[in-house]
Amino acid sequence: MGSLASAHYALDRGNVYIAEMQEPPSSGHADALLAYYAICCGRSPVVLPLAAIECVSALASQSRERYLFLGADLGIVNEPALREQVIGKEYLNLHALLLDRTWHGARTWYCQPGDAELATYLVAGSVVPLAAIEVIGKILEQGQAYRSLAIMEAASYLTAPAAAKLIPAMLASTSYFPALLQVCPRHIDFSALHSGVAQQWRAVLEQTWNNYRTQSVFDCFYRCVAEYSASVGDWGLAKQCIESGLQLHGDNPVDLVFLARCESASGDLNRAHDLLLQAVALAPCDTNALSELEAIKRRLADVGRLPVDPGRRDPSGVLVLEALHMDHAPALLRQYRDRGIAAMAGLPELQTLAQVRQWIRSQRLTGGLAAQAIIHRRWGLVGMVFLRRSGRNAYFYFWAGCDFQGCGYASNAARLLFEMAKEAGVHSVYTSVREGNYRSRRALDSLGFTAMEVCIEEDQRLLFMHKSLVPGVTREEVAEWQLQTLCREIAAPFRFASAPAVLQSSCALERFESARKEEDMSV
């Protein structure tokens, strides 16, 4: 099932459909599949393997319903995976084939033990006994083709690209045998891999590390897991591994420098600085430690020049806001890979590291609260929040990274940003959101934003919202005028359909001037 003719697959790879919300019909055709995914995933684009479905239907008919299809992939039944499928165009969407056959009366079975593990699909004709399906499913779910040692021997022959894709599944099949990881290539380029593979690595690395028992003899395993973890963005696990090594084997410049990098990537520049000082004290001529220390000193000096409190953390201590910096570029590019982020947030598409660095350079010119990276103590950069300020008003926008949408990190970071803005003298915050971006609209509602009856000429589906940081300061009569004035002052590309209502009559103008005077006197 997973090896259908590539010609059939290629027919559908270029076709992207946008599904509208509706109840799923009972028949198994394209409309039914689109409706199903619409309910699961909102307005995510979905590629349907229509030619493959036609091919499978023909085979089922010719075999008189005596057939058995097996397939496996990373699973694409959630929103981020569906978006990745459209961008990368790597998958046949076996799940859609399974649904189609189910609607046609076939016997089906599906198993994915965890989000980071392989999904296995089984489809059999309606005349195949149900008991046979159950037995085959149990074998697929629990059976292991090889013993752990045999799999470990096979892994030792893998090239780095092959190991990057296969090792997570091999570790899972051996119940996360630590020795298997030790025979893998140490230097794997994770940047070119599909995000689903990185998620698989994050899941299996933690479980493999939990199965490892530290040795008094130095075996480098903790460094191996730490390097892999850092490569896939799990800075928390990387720190845990290195700290265990330091505790067992004592301080050494190699581990101290690596731990400092992890702390820097996960929001603790001060601890990174202290660790590098220790490394230099142990090895004064270590050029790597010296260069890292100088970089951290420049970074701390840069942060100290900001007009706001740097490194502000949320009450839980999990998130910290950092002024956008060039060091954030690689992680930003990885989390920004979903083109839907740019479209929904009204930001430019950034597809290369050079483009990201140029964009960061342009954002840093404004300084202050303009652009803040959301840094998680375990996962590093998980999104961004922005505040373009002019006087006492500011324009807000935000986005969550591909791997962390729906986790609430962006909303919590926004609350932290608003506290900082209020302390800096901002009274009112404005924002806009696409009508169909329901997730962001729910987040903005929870943050206390209220809708405004304002529209722009070029996009009638762009909704504007307002939040007052100082209760009772900004009245409704003033908000629309403030929004239009703010957009002009920050050079926002909006052409409003009409002038503010407060300026359209003499009586309204008097009320407006009165409200403005009260606002000026309130602080």
Side-chain angles (χ1 to χ4, degrees), residues 298-347:
R298 290 193 297 270
R299 179 89 178 272
L300 286 170
D302 187 37
V303 170
R305 286 191 290 268
L306 295 175
V308 296
D309 182 18
R312 179 75 70 89
R313 296 187 181 277
D314 73 330
S316 68
V318 173
L319 299 177
V320 60
L321 294 185
E322 285 186 359
L324 189 60
H325 191 273
M326 288 298 176
D327 290 353
H328 296 133
L332 193 154
L333 178 62
R334 183 168 58 249
Q335 293 304 325
Y336 196 75
R337 64 187 179 272
D338 183 353
R339 295 182 182 178
I341 293 176
M344 291 299 185
L347 296 170

Side-chain angles (χ1 to χ4, degrees), residues 472-505:
V473 169
T474 304
R475 294 187 179 181
E476 193 67 30
E477 294 89 347
V478 184
E480 186 178 352
W481 175 84
Q482 282 186 345
L483 170 63
Q484 296 197 24
T485 302
L486 172 63
C487 290
R488 286 196 302 271
E489 291 173 348
I490 65 174
F494 299 142
R495 292 180 299 173
F496 290 91
S498 61
V502 295
L503 303 180
Q504 295 178 9
S505 70

Side-chain angles (χ1 to χ4, degrees), residues 119-135:
T120 306
Y121 306 86
L122 185 155
V123 179
S126 57
V127 300
V128 177
L130 181 60
I133 303 298
E134 293 176 349
V135 171

Side-chain angles (χ1 to χ4, degrees), residues 70-87:
L70 300 175
D73 62 15
L74 295 177
I76 50 173
V77 295
N78 55 55
E79 184 173 357
L82 283 169
R83 288 184 174 177
E84 288 289 341
Q85 178 211 11
V86 173
I87 295 172

